[in-house]
Amino acid sequence: EIVLTQFPATLSLSPGERATLSCRATQSVSDNYIAWYQQKPGQSPRLLIYGASSRATGIPDRFSGSGSGTDFTLTVSRLEPEDFAMYYCQQYDRSQITFGQGTRLDIK
Amino acid sequence: DVQLVESGGGLVQPGRSLRLSCAAFGFPSGDYAVTWVRQAPGKGLEWVGYIRSEAKGGTAEYGAPVKDRFSISRDDSKSVAYLHMSSLKIEDTGVYYCSIEEIWGQGTKVTVSS
C-alpha cells in the first residue's frame, strides 16, 4: 500500500498570500495518478486536481498541481477567503487507493 | 442536473448489516467506476472501495479495514450502486460518500453503536 504523508499538518496564512501544500508518497506513483481535494466543514470533498496537474471542471486557475514520482505539491497562488479549508491528496495508481491525512489551511 | 444521492444510513448495532445506496441522476453512470469513501467523525477521508464499470469487468476492490466484510454491487438498469456492509464494528461509524469521477454525493451517516 502506498502511504501518503501531507505537510504541513496546518498552514496559517492571510488572504492574498501564496499557499504551498505538500504530499509525499512511500513509493513512486506511476503516471502521476495523484489527485487533490478540498473539503469544507459539513460538505463533501471537491476534486481540485487530477493527474497531478490537471484542474478539474470549474476550478479557478489560482489552484495548480505539480510534482512527480514521490513528491507532489498543490499551490494556491493568491488565497481567497473561500480557500480556507482542509485539503487531501489521494493516489489512485494502484488498486488500493489511499488518501493523505490532510492539511488544514487556516486564516492567520 | 448531474448528481449522486446516497441513502440507507442510520443507527445499527455492532455485528449487524446495513446496505447503502448511491443513485445517479443526469448522466450514464454505467460507463464509470463507482467509489465509496468514508469519514469518521473529526477524521480524514478513508477509501472504502470501488466497483469497475461492466465494460471493464464489473469487479471490485476494497480497502484492508473492510475487505471480507463489505461488498459493492451495481445495478446499471437503475443507475444505482450499493455498499453492502456486514459484521459492522464501532469503528465503521462515519459519513459514507459515493463518487463517480469528480461528482460526489452529499454522504449518508452510519452510526454503529449498541
Side-chain angles (χ1 to χ4, degrees):
Chain A
E1 174 182 296
I2 297 178
V3 176
L4 300 178
T5 301
Q6 292 186 241
F7 54 94
T10 304
L11 186 58
S12 297
L13 294 170
S14 300
E17 291 192 294
R18 180 185 185 91
T20 302
L21 287 68
S22 298
C23 176
R24 179 166 292 161
T26 53
Q27 304 172 47
S28 183
V29 179
S30 59
D31 295 322
N32 292 335
Y33 285 145
I34 285 285
W36 290 91
Y37 293 86
Q38 177 193 68
Q39 189 181 31
K40 297 179 181 179
Q43 296 186 15
S44 305
R46 175 193 183 196
L47 177 65
L48 301 174
I49 300 288
Y50 63 93
S53 61
S54 298
R55 270 188 299 277
T57 305
I59 301 304
D61 60 9
R62 65 180 182 273
F63 290 91
S64 63
S66 63
S68 64
T70 60
D71 291 292
F72 299 89
T73 299
L74 174 71
T75 300
V76 189
S77 58
R78 287 180 56 85
L79 286 165
E80 298 287 342
E82 63 267 27
D83 298 336
F84 293 91
M86 282 294 293
Y87 290 83
Y88 297 93
C89 61
Q90 177 205 50
Q91 68 77 24
Y92 51 102
D93 177 18
R94 313 291 170 85
S95 61
Q96 294 291 302
I97 293 172
T98 49
F99 286 94
Q101 83 283 9
T103 290
R104 181 183 304 277
L105 181 52
D106 282 345
I107 297 179
K108 190 172 183 180
Chain B
D1 201 23
V2 172
Q3 62 176 333
L4 295 174
V5 178
E6 301 97 335
S7 60
L11 175 64
V12 61
Q13 292 179 324
R16 302 298 290 266
S17 299
L18 198 64
R19 187 186 76 170
L20 306 183
S21 299
C22 170
F25 300 93
F27 68 104
S29 60
D31 295 344
Y32 302 96
V34 180
T35 298
W36 287 92
V37 171
R38 68 183 180 183
Q39 188 167 36
K43 302 297 184 182
L45 302 174
E46 181 183 29
W47 174 70
V48 173
Y50 66 79
I51 186 166
R52 298 176 178 86
S53 65
E54 288 299 328
K56 295 193 176 181
T59 53
E61 306 288 344
Y62 303 95
V66 307
K67 193 177 167 105
D68 301 326
R69 298 188 299 123
F70 290 12
S71 65
I72 301 171
S73 63
R74 61 191 303 157
D75 184 345
D76 292 335
S77 68
K78 298 179 181 177
S79 296
V80 179
Y82 301 99
L83 178 64
H84 308 264
M85 305 186 293
S86 64
S87 303
L88 281 161
K89 303 177 182 180
I90 290 175
E91 53 264 39
D92 294 320
T93 293
V95 176
Y96 284 71
Y97 299 98
C98 65
S99 70
I100 295 178
E101 300 287 297
E102 60 194 64
I103 305 166
W104 286 64
Q106 83 289 351
T108 187
K109 186 175 180 180
V110 173
T111 302
V112 184
S113 174
S114 54

